[in-house]
């Protein structure tokens, strides 16, 4: 699937021991900007993918061990004209709050983002 999207294939060592690779296309319905999502998750976690039916795409891409409350889910926020490294800290704070509250407004209390650090370059991105 990665090669179809112009991405390099998965090599030995790309996926840590005890993890699995999730690759999924988000935005299959044509109403969302299509994204190719790729991340590692613990092998025992359950994967959730969006469903596509006559009512368009529904759901998100997630993985989790829901009995313990551990999970990782994709959140796609509004786009911006500025590159991420030019965004102020408040932009990221608002983005995290929007992601936390997408299922309910009172899901957090007194959230404050302390710092933003530029991440490592992965696959040229």
């Amino acid at each position: 699937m990665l090669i179809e999207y112009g991405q390099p294939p998965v090599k030995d060592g790309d996926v840590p021991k005890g993890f699995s690779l999730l690759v999924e296309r988000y935005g299959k319905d044509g109403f969302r900007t299509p994204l190719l999502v790729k991340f590692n998750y613990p092998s025992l976690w359950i994967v959730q993918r969006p469903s596509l039916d006559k009512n368009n795409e529904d759901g998100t891409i997630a993985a989790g061990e829901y009995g313990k409350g551990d999970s990782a889910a994709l959140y796609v926020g509004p786009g911006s004209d500025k590159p991420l490294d030019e965004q102020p800290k408040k932009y990221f704070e608002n983005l995290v709050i929007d992601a936390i509250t997408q299922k309910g407004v009172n899901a957090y209390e007194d959230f404050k983002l302390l710092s933003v650090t530029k991440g490592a370059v992965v696959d040229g991105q």
Side-chain angles (χ1 to χ4, degrees):
M1 180 181 210
L2 290 174
I3 294 171
E4 294 173 28
Y5 291 100
Q7 297 293 308
V10 177
K11 300 176 294 217
D12 288 340
D14 284 353
V15 179
K17 185 177 180 181
F19 282 76
S20 296
L21 177 65
L22 174 64
V23 178
E24 182 71 28
R25 185 169 165 242
Y26 178 82
K28 298 175 194 171
D29 61 2
F31 292 103
R32 301 176 184 179
T33 302
L35 300 171
L36 183 63
V37 178
K38 177 176 93 168
F39 65 87
N40 296 322
Y41 65 94
S43 296
L44 297 176
W45 284 16
I46 297 169
V47 173
Q48 174 187 345
R49 291 179 166 86
S51 61
L52 185 61
D53 61 19
K54 65 180 180 179
N55 294 319
N56 301 321
E57 192 173 36
D58 183 40
T60 191
I61 299 168
E65 188 172 356
Y66 301 105
K68 290 186 176 180
D70 297 337
S71 65
L74 173 69
Y75 170 72
V76 179
S80 173
D81 295 337
K82 289 171 125 181
L84 289 177
D85 58 356
E86 294 179 16
Q87 294 289 355
K89 186 169 79 169
K90 190 69 176 168
Y91 170 84
F92 295 101
E93 186 172 303
N94 290 337
L95 193 64
V96 171
I97 289 171
D98 288 348
I100 292 171
T101 59
Q102 69 180 336
K103 297 288 183 183
V105 183
N106 296 321
Y108 73 99
E109 187 175 307
D110 296 329
F111 177 82
K112 182 178 179 182
L113 186 64
L114 299 178
S115 67
V116 176
T117 305
K118 188 173 182 175
V121 175
V122 177
D123 294 337
Q125 299 181 13

